Amino acid sequence: MSTSTSVTFGQGSLSRAAALIHTLVTVEALLLLAAAPGLAGLLLVGPDSANLPLAALCLLPLGPALSAALYALHHRDRDLIDLHPARTYWRGWRLNALPALKLWTPLLAWLTVVAFTLTHFAATGLPGWWAVLLAAIGAGSLLWGAHALVLTSLFAFRARDTARLAAYFLVRHGRATLGAASLLVLAAGLTALLTEALPALLAAPLLLSLLHSGRPVIAETQEDFTA
């Protein structure tokens, strides 16, 4: 009787739900801890558009933190009696911090240029359709970044190969790109309507949704681009 109980415990639906909640809470806490130096800096940076480069610098630690969170969520245990989300998170951070920064840094720099140009657009003297084009380029860059973040978190490609694959999947898997777009719109809406802290506090479930929508990208990468 006791043997049967030990085998089945932790494998039911309620136990799996509890395991998921525990993993999400742990990963969220560790993500905020890993990104804390930059997030603290953001509190000191004023909302003036002239501070955009400083804000981008503060966001640098967020890239490795997000990558480690994606790694931990992808490799999460579903058995309540065998949970190690903290260990998995820090393993993901050690593996992915440098690869993530190689993509995250140029992405932040490019988005800073786009945002700075848009906030000072009146001074450029360019026609209005240029602003629309820049905004579209910025949105496309964010979607590319979402694919690149998933790929660099789960696979050990060179940075330029990850960048090419992310651009390829941007068009190849429209549903995955649309899923990433909906999450970005949701995060932007939460920021605009409530508080900029809310997307950070909900980062773990948002990243889990990104993994879910990116399953075709992950599956094709495993099948066609890994040995």
Side-chain angles (χ1 to χ4, degrees):
M1 181 69 70
S2 60
T3 302
S4 175
T5 302
S6 64
V7 171
T8 58
F9 177 77
Q11 298 177 356
S13 299
L14 185 60
S15 295
R16 289 195 297 270
L20 175 59
I21 293 171
H22 174 75
T23 299
L24 287 173
V25 171
T26 302
V27 168
E28 177 68 36
L30 293 175
L31 188 159
L32 293 176
L33 178 63
L39 296 178
L42 280 179
L43 296 176
L44 302 176
V45 175
D48 195 312
S49 59
N51 292 328
L52 282 171
L54 286 176
L57 188 63
C58 292
L59 287 173
L60 279 178
L62 185 60
L66 291 171
S67 181
L70 284 168
Y71 179 92
L73 292 172
H74 180 72
H75 294 92
R76 65 186 175 89
D77 296 311
R78 290 167 172 79
D79 192 338
L80 187 61
I81 61 175
D82 189 28
L83 292 179
H84 306 286
R87 183 189 307 171
T88 307
Y89 181 91
W90 291 120
R91 184 190 307 128
W93 195 94
R94 290 192 300 270
L95 290 172
N96 297 327
L98 184 58
L101 279 175
K102 289 181 179 179
L103 294 168
W104 184 251
T105 303
L107 176 62
L108 274 181
W110 171 242
L111 290 175
T112 301
V113 171
V114 171
F116 192 86
T117 303
L118 288 175
T119 53
H120 295 80
F121 191 78
T124 65
L126 294 172
W129 61 268
W130 270 95
V132 177
L133 179 61
L134 271 176
I137 291 173
S141 300
L142 281 171
L143 294 174
W144 171 88
H147 286 315
L149 189 63
V150 170
L151 291 171
T152 199
S153 301
L154 306 184
F155 302 97
F157 297 130
R158 294 175 299 180
R160 63 175 178 267
D161 293 331
T162 301
R164 291 169 182 166
L165 279 175
Y168 166 72
F169 286 131
L170 197 62
V171 178
R172 166 71 173 168
H173 288 293
R175 288 187 178 180
T177 301
L178 185 61
S182 65
L183 291 173
L184 289 172
V185 170
L186 176 60
L190 292 173
T191 300
L193 297 177
L194 298 173
T195 171
E196 60 274 11
L198 194 55
L201 295 175
L202 295 176
L206 289 174
L207 290 173
L208 185 63
S209 298
L210 180 62
L211 282 175
H212 180 78
S213 65
R215 284 184 301 179
V217 171
I218 298 169
E220 183 171 340
T221 303
Q222 289 174 329
E223 182 177 350
D224 296 341
F225 298 102
T226 58

